Amino acid sequence: SGKILENQVVLVTGSSSGIGAGIAVGMGKAGAKVVVNYRSSPEGAQKVVDEIKSQGGEAIAIQGDISKEEDVQKMFSQLCEHFGTIDILINNAGLQQDANLVDMTLAQWQKVIDVNLTGQFLCTREAVKEFMRRGLVEERSRAAGKIIFISSVHEVIPWAGHSNYAASKGGIKLFMQSIAQEVARHRIRVNGIAPGAIKTPINEDAWDTPEDEAELLKLIPYKRIGVPEDVAKVAVWLASDDSDYVHGETIFVDGGMTLYPAFAEGQG
Ligand code: NAD
């Protein structure tokens, strides 16, 4: 049918909800065979699989905690058994454990680093090994594999009360760039997406009342809170050959949140 990701296999981590679910559905629409990874919600994952199938796509759900090495290795062997190989990895799973510095427990610090940063490392390593083992398949893509890191505007915007999260996202930025430099010679393409405020379960508190929503919109020059589909469309493009010369780049999908909105009225 000539869809942009026809016959390519994509793994989207943490895709039983939110941005990951949106990306999984978008990838399915673009013709990819989708692996919906989830940690604790088989029902959520099944809904995403069903939605992809109802649009004529192919998808399976695979359980796995991305912060655990054995789980990640098992997930990759299961997906290779089912679909043969992998072409695209979307490192999406992530979480917050908010606390002010002096109240932050080591467990809160460690949990966020383990999932948001170490989890992306573990999945990236397994994907790159498979890309290198299989090599380039020119009928499918101009790249031998593609990796997209979902970081956050907090890879550049400091965030009081969320220092563990900001540290994990800042870490993703340089991990992504270092891997991009390292694996480019294997024709593996590596990029990031930094979302701003997207309506998902992770930040419901920030938009679930009109007052909260108005407060949040002050930070968004474009005056609209994003939806998972906004991120999904960019992810599909970044995973496709249409972006074949884009490498080691982070695309901000944030309605201008990184434009220092406090200066929008030109004071001073
Ligand atoms: P979400 O909570 O709906 O999605 C996160 C998903 O990751 C959940 O499904 C969760 O179960 C899964 N997950 C958590 N720990 C996991 C683990 N150990 N193994 C496997 N899966 C695990 O929230 P979301 O907003 O969709 O977040 C997705 C990504 O986008 C995260 O990395 C988040 O930091 C990032 N992000 C979100 C926003 C936003 O405004 N929503 C902004 C910037 C970045």
PDB file of all heavy atoms in Angstrom, residues 14 16-20 37-39 64-67 92-95 115 150-152 165 169 195-198 200-203, ligand 1:
ATOM      1  N   GLY A  14       6.528   1.607  27.152  1.00  0.00           N
ATOM      2  CA  GLY A  14       5.524   2.306  27.954  1.00  0.00           C
ATOM      3  C   GLY A  14       4.378   2.846  27.124  1.00  0.00           C
ATOM      4  O   GLY A  14       3.977   3.996  27.279  1.00  0.00           O
ATOM      5  N   SER A  16       1.128   1.703  26.871  1.00  0.00           N
ATOM      6  CA  SER A  16      -0.248   1.381  27.246  1.00  0.00           C
ATOM      7  C   SER A  16      -1.034   2.631  27.618  1.00  0.00           C
ATOM      8  O   SER A  16      -2.230   2.546  27.926  1.00  0.00           O
ATOM      9  CB  SER A  16      -0.261   0.382  28.412  1.00  0.00           C
ATOM     10  OG  SER A  16       0.375   0.941  29.543  1.00  0.00           O
ATOM     11  N   SER A  17      -0.387   3.809  27.598  1.00  0.00           N
ATOM     12  CA  SER A  17      -1.090   5.059  27.932  1.00  0.00           C
ATOM     13  C   SER A  17      -0.357   6.242  27.307  1.00  0.00           C
ATOM     14  O   SER A  17       0.765   6.108  26.810  1.00  0.00           O
ATOM     15  CB  SER A  17      -1.145   5.245  29.456  1.00  0.00           C
ATOM     16  OG  SER A  17       0.168   5.446  29.983  1.00  0.00           O
ATOM     17  N   GLY A  18      -1.020   7.392  27.344  1.00  0.00           N
ATOM     18  CA  GLY A  18      -0.371   8.668  27.062  1.00  0.00           C
ATOM     19  C   GLY A  18       0.302   8.800  25.705  1.00  0.00           C
ATOM     20  O   GLY A  18      -0.213   8.360  24.672  1.00  0.00           O
ATOM     21  N   ILE A  19       1.469   9.435  25.725  1.00  0.00           N
ATOM     22  CA  ILE A  19       2.214   9.712  24.497  1.00  0.00           C
ATOM     23  C   ILE A  19       2.604   8.410  23.788  1.00  0.00           C
ATOM     24  O   ILE A  19       2.508   8.302  22.563  1.00  0.00           O
ATOM     25  CB  ILE A  19       3.475  10.552  24.820  1.00  0.00           C
ATOM     26  CG1 ILE A  19       3.067  11.957  25.301  1.00  0.00           C
ATOM     27  CG2 ILE A  19       4.409  10.643  23.616  1.00  0.00           C
ATOM     28  CD1 ILE A  19       4.233  12.812  25.817  1.00  0.00           C
ATOM     29  N   GLY A  20       3.014   7.410  24.561  1.00  0.00           N
ATOM     30  CA  GLY A  20       3.418   6.127  23.973  1.00  0.00           C
ATOM     31  C   GLY A  20       2.270   5.484  23.219  1.00  0.00           C
ATOM     32  O   GLY A  20       2.456   4.966  22.098  1.00  0.00           O
ATOM     33  N   ASN A  37       4.813  -2.157  24.392  1.00  0.00           N
ATOM     34  CA  ASN A  37       5.385  -2.594  25.679  1.00  0.00           C
ATOM     35  C   ASN A  37       4.621  -1.927  26.829  1.00  0.00           C
ATOM     36  O   ASN A  37       4.241  -0.760  26.741  1.00  0.00           O
ATOM     37  CB  ASN A  37       6.873  -2.225  25.771  1.00  0.00           C
ATOM     38  CG  ASN A  37       7.353  -2.158  27.225  1.00  0.00           C
ATOM     39  OD1 ASN A  37       7.597  -1.071  27.757  1.00  0.00           O
ATOM     40  ND2 ASN A  37       7.455  -3.296  27.888  1.00  0.00           N
ATOM     41  N   TYR A  38       4.386  -2.699  27.883  1.00  0.00           N
ATOM     42  CA  TYR A  38       3.743  -2.144  29.078  1.00  0.00           C
ATOM     43  C   TYR A  38       4.379  -2.781  30.298  1.00  0.00           C
ATOM     44  O   TYR A  38       4.950  -3.872  30.213  1.00  0.00           O
ATOM     45  CB  TYR A  38       2.235  -2.416  29.066  1.00  0.00           C
ATOM     46  CG  TYR A  38       1.912  -3.892  29.191  1.00  0.00           C
ATOM     47  CD1 TYR A  38       1.573  -4.442  30.421  1.00  0.00           C
ATOM     48  CD2 TYR A  38       1.975  -4.741  28.080  1.00  0.00           C
ATOM     49  CE1 TYR A  38       1.303  -5.804  30.545  1.00  0.00           C
ATOM     50  CE2 TYR A  38       1.709  -6.085  28.195  1.00  0.00           C
ATOM     51  CZ  TYR A  38       1.375  -6.617  29.437  1.00  0.00           C
ATOM     52  OH  TYR A  38       1.121  -7.958  29.561  1.00  0.00           O
ATOM     53  N   ARG A  39       4.296  -2.068  31.423  1.00  0.00           N
ATOM     54  CA  ARG A  39       4.818  -2.637  32.659  1.00  0.00           C
ATOM     55  C   ARG A  39       3.728  -3.291  33.478  1.00  0.00           C
ATOM     56  O   ARG A  39       3.856  -4.423  33.897  1.00  0.00           O
ATOM     57  CB  ARG A  39       5.518  -1.555  33.483  1.00  0.00           C
ATOM     58  CG  ARG A  39       6.200  -2.102  34.734  1.00  0.00           C
ATOM     59  CD  ARG A  39       6.494  -0.976  35.705  1.00  0.00           C
ATOM     60  NE  ARG A  39       5.316  -0.105  35.796  1.00  0.00           N
ATOM     61  CZ  ARG A  39       5.292   1.071  36.397  1.00  0.00           C
ATOM     62  NH1 ARG A  39       6.373   1.556  36.959  1.00  0.00           N
ATOM     63  NH2 ARG A  39       4.177   1.788  36.432  1.00  0.00           N
ATOM     64  N   GLY A  64       7.018  -5.911  30.217  1.00  0.00           N
ATOM     65  CA  GLY A  64       8.424  -5.829  30.590  1.00  0.00           C
ATOM     66  C   GLY A  64       8.714  -4.520  31.300  1.00  0.00           C
ATOM     67  O   GLY A  64       8.225  -3.473  30.883  1.00  0.00           O
ATOM     68  N   ASP A  65       9.484  -4.600  32.380  1.00  0.00           N
ATOM     69  CA  ASP A  65       9.931  -3.406  33.108  1.00  0.00           C
ATOM     70  C   ASP A  65      11.266  -2.993  32.488  1.00  0.00           C
ATOM     71  O   ASP A  65      12.266  -3.703  32.622  1.00  0.00           O
ATOM     72  CB  ASP A  65      10.087  -3.759  34.595  1.00  0.00           C
ATOM     73  CG  ASP A  65      10.586  -2.587  35.433  1.00  0.00           C
ATOM     74  OD1 ASP A  65      11.214  -1.655  34.878  1.00  0.00           O
ATOM     75  OD2 ASP A  65      10.357  -2.621  36.649  1.00  0.00           O
ATOM     76  N   ILE A  66      11.274  -1.840  31.808  1.00  0.00           N
ATOM     77  CA  ILE A  66      12.476  -1.455  31.049  1.00  0.00           C
ATOM     78  C   ILE A  66      13.678  -1.140  31.936  1.00  0.00           C
ATOM     79  O   ILE A  66      14.792  -1.022  31.441  1.00  0.00           O
ATOM     80  CB  ILE A  66      12.217  -0.258  30.093  1.00  0.00           C
ATOM     81  CG1 ILE A  66      11.748   0.967  30.882  1.00  0.00           C
ATOM     82  CG2 ILE A  66      11.264  -0.631  28.986  1.00  0.00           C
ATOM     83  CD1 ILE A  66      12.219   2.262  30.265  1.00  0.00           C
ATOM     84  N   SER A  67      13.460  -1.002  33.235  1.00  0.00           N
ATOM     85  CA  SER A  67      14.602  -0.727  34.114  1.00  0.00           C
ATOM     86  C   SER A  67      15.305  -2.017  34.541  1.00  0.00           C
ATOM     87  O   SER A  67      16.305  -1.975  35.246  1.00  0.00           O
ATOM     88  CB  SER A  67      14.151   0.069  35.344  1.00  0.00           C
ATOM     89  OG  SER A  67      13.321  -0.713  36.175  1.00  0.00           O
ATOM     90  N   ASN A  92      10.198   5.593  25.097  1.00  0.00           N
ATOM     91  CA  ASN A  92       9.180   6.520  25.609  1.00  0.00           C
ATOM     92  C   ASN A  92       8.905   6.386  27.100  1.00  0.00           C
ATOM     93  O   ASN A  92       8.618   7.385  27.757  1.00  0.00           O
ATOM     94  CB  ASN A  92       7.876   6.311  24.822  1.00  0.00           C
ATOM     95  CG  ASN A  92       6.685   6.973  25.493  1.00  0.00           C
ATOM     96  OD1 ASN A  92       6.501   8.190  25.398  1.00  0.00           O
ATOM     97  ND2 ASN A  92       5.887   6.193  26.223  1.00  0.00           N
ATOM     98  N   ALA A  93       8.966   5.182  27.646  1.00  0.00           N
ATOM     99  CA  ALA A  93       8.550   4.976  29.050  1.00  0.00           C
ATOM    100  C   ALA A  93       9.306   5.922  29.976  1.00  0.00           C
ATOM    101  O   ALA A  93      10.511   6.128  29.833  1.00  0.00           O
ATOM    102  CB  ALA A  93       8.795   3.531  29.462  1.00  0.00           C
ATOM    103  N   GLY A  94       8.573   6.495  30.900  1.00  0.00           N
ATOM    104  CA  GLY A  94       9.198   7.408  31.852  1.00  0.00           C
ATOM    105  C   GLY A  94       8.225   7.732  32.961  1.00  0.00           C
ATOM    106  O   GLY A  94       7.019   7.492  32.837  1.00  0.00           O
ATOM    107  N   LEU A  95       8.743   8.252  34.055  1.00  0.00           N
ATOM    108  CA  LEU A  95       7.864   8.600  35.176  1.00  0.00           C
ATOM    109  C   LEU A  95       8.464   9.731  35.996  1.00  0.00           C
ATOM    110  O   LEU A  95       9.590  10.170  35.769  1.00  0.00           O
ATOM    111  CB  LEU A  95       7.597   7.376  36.059  1.00  0.00           C
ATOM    112  CG  LEU A  95       8.774   6.474  36.441  1.00  0.00           C
ATOM    113  CD1 LEU A  95       9.713   7.139  37.411  1.00  0.00           C
ATOM    114  CD2 LEU A  95       8.265   5.167  37.031  1.00  0.00           C
ATOM    115  N   VAL A 115      14.376   4.198  35.575  1.00  0.00           N
ATOM    116  CA  VAL A 115      13.417   4.049  34.469  1.00  0.00           C
ATOM    117  C   VAL A 115      13.775   4.998  33.328  1.00  0.00           C
ATOM    118  O   VAL A 115      13.966   4.581  32.183  1.00  0.00           O
ATOM    119  CB  VAL A 115      11.966   4.296  34.947  1.00  0.00           C
ATOM    120  CG1 VAL A 115      10.996   4.239  33.763  1.00  0.00           C
ATOM    121  CG2 VAL A 115      11.573   3.273  36.019  1.00  0.00           C
ATOM    122  N   ILE A 150      12.402   9.844  23.736  1.00  0.00           N
ATOM    123  CA  ILE A 150      11.451  10.851  24.204  1.00  0.00           C
ATOM    124  C   ILE A 150      12.038  11.457  25.474  1.00  0.00           C
ATOM    125  O   ILE A 150      12.105  10.794  26.518  1.00  0.00           O
ATOM    126  CB  ILE A 150      10.057  10.241  24.490  1.00  0.00           C
ATOM    127  CG1 ILE A 150       9.514   9.487  23.258  1.00  0.00           C
ATOM    128  CG2 ILE A 150       9.096  11.349  24.933  1.00  0.00           C
ATOM    129  CD1 ILE A 150       9.301  10.311  22.002  1.00  0.00           C
ATOM    130  N   SER A 151      12.515  12.684  25.351  1.00  0.00           N
ATOM    131  CA  SER A 151      13.046  13.338  26.551  1.00  0.00           C
ATOM    132  C   SER A 151      11.977  14.288  27.060  1.00  0.00           C
ATOM    133  O   SER A 151      10.871  13.860  27.407  1.00  0.00           O
ATOM    134  CB  SER A 151      14.389  14.019  26.280  1.00  0.00           C
ATOM    135  OG  SER A 151      14.244  15.126  25.435  1.00  0.00           O
ATOM    136  N   SER A 152      12.240  15.586  27.079  1.00  0.00           N
ATOM    137  CA  SER A 152      11.283  16.557  27.622  1.00  0.00           C
ATOM    138  C   SER A 152      11.880  17.935  27.422  1.00  0.00           C
ATOM    139  O   SER A 152      13.103  18.077  27.271  1.00  0.00           O
ATOM    140  CB  SER A 152      11.093  16.300  29.124  1.00  0.00           C
ATOM    141  OG  SER A 152      10.459  17.405  29.752  1.00  0.00           O
ATOM    142  N   TYR A 165      13.865  14.229  37.859  1.00  0.00           N
ATOM    143  CA  TYR A 165      13.308  14.134  36.500  1.00  0.00           C
ATOM    144  C   TYR A 165      14.148  14.950  35.515  1.00  0.00           C
ATOM    145  O   TYR A 165      14.528  14.463  34.442  1.00  0.00           O
ATOM    146  CB  TYR A 165      11.863  14.629  36.528  1.00  0.00           C
ATOM    147  CG  TYR A 165      11.111  14.516  35.221  1.00  0.00           C
ATOM    148  CD1 TYR A 165      10.529  13.308  34.829  1.00  0.00           C
ATOM    149  CD2 TYR A 165      10.944  15.617  34.378  1.00  0.00           C
ATOM    150  CE1 TYR A 165       9.818  13.210  33.641  1.00  0.00           C
ATOM    151  CE2 TYR A 165      10.231  15.527  33.191  1.00  0.00           C
ATOM    152  CZ  TYR A 165       9.664  14.325  32.827  1.00  0.00           C
ATOM    153  OH  TYR A 165       8.952  14.225  31.651  1.00  0.00           O
ATOM    154  N   LYS A 169      16.326  13.666  32.219  1.00  0.00           N
ATOM    155  CA  LYS A 169      16.078  14.135  30.849  1.00  0.00           C
ATOM    156  C   LYS A 169      17.319  14.825  30.276  1.00  0.00           C
ATOM    157  O   LYS A 169      17.619  14.685  29.086  1.00  0.00           O
ATOM    158  CB  LYS A 169      14.853  15.053  30.809  1.00  0.00           C
ATOM    159  CG  LYS A 169      13.538  14.356  31.215  1.00  0.00           C
ATOM    160  CD  LYS A 169      13.195  13.165  30.322  1.00  0.00           C
ATOM    161  CE  LYS A 169      11.815  12.589  30.612  1.00  0.00           C
ATOM    162  NZ  LYS A 169      11.462  11.454  29.733  1.00  0.00           N
ATOM    163  N   PRO A 195       8.991  16.768  24.234  1.00  0.00           N
ATOM    164  CA  PRO A 195       7.638  17.331  24.315  1.00  0.00           C
ATOM    165  C   PRO A 195       7.570  18.417  25.388  1.00  0.00           C
ATOM    166  O   PRO A 195       8.301  18.400  26.371  1.00  0.00           O
ATOM    167  CB  PRO A 195       6.768  16.135  24.734  1.00  0.00           C
ATOM    168  CG  PRO A 195       7.614  14.911  24.559  1.00  0.00           C
ATOM    169  CD  PRO A 195       9.033  15.378  24.741  1.00  0.00           C
ATOM    170  N   GLY A 196       6.652  19.365  25.165  1.00  0.00           N
ATOM    171  CA  GLY A 196       6.311  20.336  26.212  1.00  0.00           C
ATOM    172  C   GLY A 196       5.177  19.765  27.037  1.00  0.00           C
ATOM    173  O   GLY A 196       5.252  18.630  27.485  1.00  0.00           O
ATOM    174  N   ALA A 197       4.110  20.542  27.259  1.00  0.00           N
ATOM    175  CA  ALA A 197       2.977  20.040  28.047  1.00  0.00           C
ATOM    176  C   ALA A 197       2.002  19.309  27.131  1.00  0.00           C
ATOM    177  O   ALA A 197       1.364  19.907  26.271  1.00  0.00           O
ATOM    178  CB  ALA A 197       2.281  21.193  28.745  1.00  0.00           C
ATOM    179  N   ILE A 198       1.907  18.008  27.333  1.00  0.00           N
ATOM    180  CA  ILE A 198       1.014  17.159  26.542  1.00  0.00           C
ATOM    181  C   ILE A 198       0.004  16.553  27.520  1.00  0.00           C
ATOM    182  O   ILE A 198       0.388  16.070  28.585  1.00  0.00           O
ATOM    183  CB  ILE A 198       1.804  16.011  25.866  1.00  0.00           C
ATOM    184  CG1 ILE A 198       3.057  16.525  25.122  1.00  0.00           C
ATOM    185  CG2 ILE A 198       0.892  15.205  24.946  1.00  0.00           C
ATOM    186  CD1 ILE A 198       2.804  17.407  23.937  1.00  0.00           C
ATOM    187  N   THR A 200      -1.685  14.026  29.291  1.00  0.00           N
ATOM    188  CA  THR A 200      -1.591  12.588  29.550  1.00  0.00           C
ATOM    189  C   THR A 200      -1.745  12.374  31.064  1.00  0.00           C
ATOM    190  O   THR A 200      -1.734  13.340  31.826  1.00  0.00           O
ATOM    191  CB  THR A 200      -0.218  11.999  29.130  1.00  0.00           C
ATOM    192  OG1 THR A 200       0.770  12.407  30.085  1.00  0.00           O
ATOM    193  CG2 THR A 200       0.213  12.426  27.736  1.00  0.00           C
ATOM    194  N   PRO A 201      -1.827  11.114  31.495  1.00  0.00           N
ATOM    195  CA  PRO A 201      -1.958  10.862  32.933  1.00  0.00           C
ATOM    196  C   PRO A 201      -0.789  11.412  33.772  1.00  0.00           C
ATOM    197  O   PRO A 201      -0.962  11.715  34.950  1.00  0.00           O
ATOM    198  CB  PRO A 201      -1.999   9.326  33.025  1.00  0.00           C
ATOM    199  CG  PRO A 201      -2.499   8.870  31.691  1.00  0.00           C
ATOM    200  CD  PRO A 201      -1.958   9.868  30.707  1.00  0.00           C
ATOM    201  N   ILE A 202       0.407  11.584  33.176  1.00  0.00           N
ATOM    202  CA  ILE A 202       1.591  11.957  33.969  1.00  0.00           C
ATOM    203  C   ILE A 202       1.432  13.362  34.568  1.00  0.00           C
ATOM    204  O   ILE A 202       2.000  13.660  35.614  1.00  0.00           O
ATOM    205  CB  ILE A 202       2.890  11.862  33.110  1.00  0.00           C
ATOM    206  CG1 ILE A 202       4.119  11.476  33.961  1.00  0.00           C
ATOM    207  CG2 ILE A 202       3.195  13.160  32.399  1.00  0.00           C
ATOM    208  CD1 ILE A 202       5.405  11.242  33.158  1.00  0.00           C
ATOM    209  N   ASN A 203       0.669  14.251  33.891  1.00  0.00           N
ATOM    210  CA  ASN A 203       0.605  15.650  34.335  1.00  0.00           C
ATOM    211  C   ASN A 203      -0.834  16.141  34.502  1.00  0.00           C
ATOM    212  O   ASN A 203      -1.105  17.336  34.377  1.00  0.00           O
ATOM    213  CB  ASN A 203       1.363  16.539  33.333  1.00  0.00           C
ATOM    214  CG  ASN A 203       0.785  16.422  31.933  1.00  0.00           C
ATOM    215  OD1 ASN A 203      -0.207  15.735  31.717  1.00  0.00           O
ATOM    216  ND2 ASN A 203       1.397  17.097  30.985  1.00  0.00           N
TER     217      ASN A 203
HETATM  218  P1  NAD B   1       2.242   8.228  31.020  1.00  0.00           P
HETATM  219  O1  NAD B   1       2.395   8.080  32.474  1.00  0.00           O
HETATM  220  O2  NAD B   1       0.894   8.081  30.422  1.00  0.00           O
HETATM  221  O3  NAD B   1       3.205   7.250  30.215  1.00  0.00           O
HETATM  222  C1  NAD B   1       4.365   6.690  30.722  1.00  0.00           C
HETATM  223  C2  NAD B   1       4.289   5.211  30.483  1.00  0.00           C
HETATM  224  O4  NAD B   1       5.520   4.602  30.871  1.00  0.00           O
HETATM  225  C3  NAD B   1       3.179   4.568  31.320  1.00  0.00           C
HETATM  226  O5  NAD B   1       2.394   3.759  30.480  1.00  0.00           O
HETATM  227  C4  NAD B   1       3.953   3.736  32.328  1.00  0.00           C
HETATM  228  O6  NAD B   1       3.273   2.568  32.728  1.00  0.00           O
HETATM  229  C5  NAD B   1       5.196   3.406  31.544  1.00  0.00           C
HETATM  230  N1  NAD B   1       6.293   2.990  32.408  1.00  0.00           N
HETATM  231  C6  NAD B   1       6.704   3.555  33.558  1.00  0.00           C
HETATM  232  N2  NAD B   1       7.716   2.865  34.087  1.00  0.00           N
HETATM  233  C7  NAD B   1       7.953   1.828  33.245  1.00  0.00           C
HETATM  234  C8  NAD B   1       8.874   0.747  33.247  1.00  0.00           C
HETATM  235  N3  NAD B   1       9.749   0.592  34.238  1.00  0.00           N
HETATM  236  N4  NAD B   1       8.833  -0.129  32.217  1.00  0.00           N
HETATM  237  C9  NAD B   1       7.941   0.017  31.211  1.00  0.00           C
HETATM  238  N5  NAD B   1       7.061   1.011  31.165  1.00  0.00           N
HETATM  239  C10 NAD B   1       7.055   1.902  32.176  1.00  0.00           C
HETATM  240  O7  NAD B   1       2.846   9.674  30.681  1.00  0.00           O
HETATM  241  P2  NAD B   1       3.313  10.304  29.287  1.00  0.00           P
HETATM  242  O8  NAD B   1       3.139  11.756  29.431  1.00  0.00           O
HETATM  243  O9  NAD B   1       2.685   9.626  28.146  1.00  0.00           O
HETATM  244  O10 NAD B   1       4.875  10.020  29.296  1.00  0.00           O
HETATM  245  C11 NAD B   1       5.575   9.406  28.229  1.00  0.00           C
HETATM  246  C12 NAD B   1       6.968  10.008  28.113  1.00  0.00           C
HETATM  247  O11 NAD B   1       6.856  11.369  27.710  1.00  0.00           O
HETATM  248  C13 NAD B   1       7.760  10.016  29.417  1.00  0.00           C
HETATM  249  O12 NAD B   1       9.115   9.712  29.153  1.00  0.00           O
HETATM  250  C14 NAD B   1       7.631  11.450  29.882  1.00  0.00           C
HETATM  251  O13 NAD B   1       8.697  11.852  30.704  1.00  0.00           O
HETATM  252  C15 NAD B   1       7.640  12.165  28.557  1.00  0.00           C
HETATM  253  N6  NAD B   1       7.103  13.524  28.584  1.00  0.00           N
HETATM  254  C16 NAD B   1       5.778  13.773  28.842  1.00  0.00           C
HETATM  255  C17 NAD B   1       5.327  15.069  28.825  1.00  0.00           C
HETATM  256  C18 NAD B   1       3.880  15.424  29.070  1.00  0.00           C
HETATM  257  O14 NAD B   1       3.565  16.617  29.135  1.00  0.00           O
HETATM  258  N7  NAD B   1       2.976  14.483  29.190  1.00  0.00           N
HETATM  259  C19 NAD B   1       6.197  16.123  28.575  1.00  0.00           C
HETATM  260  C20 NAD B   1       7.531  15.847  28.323  1.00  0.00           C
HETATM  261  C21 NAD B   1       7.969  14.538  28.325  1.00  0.00           C
END
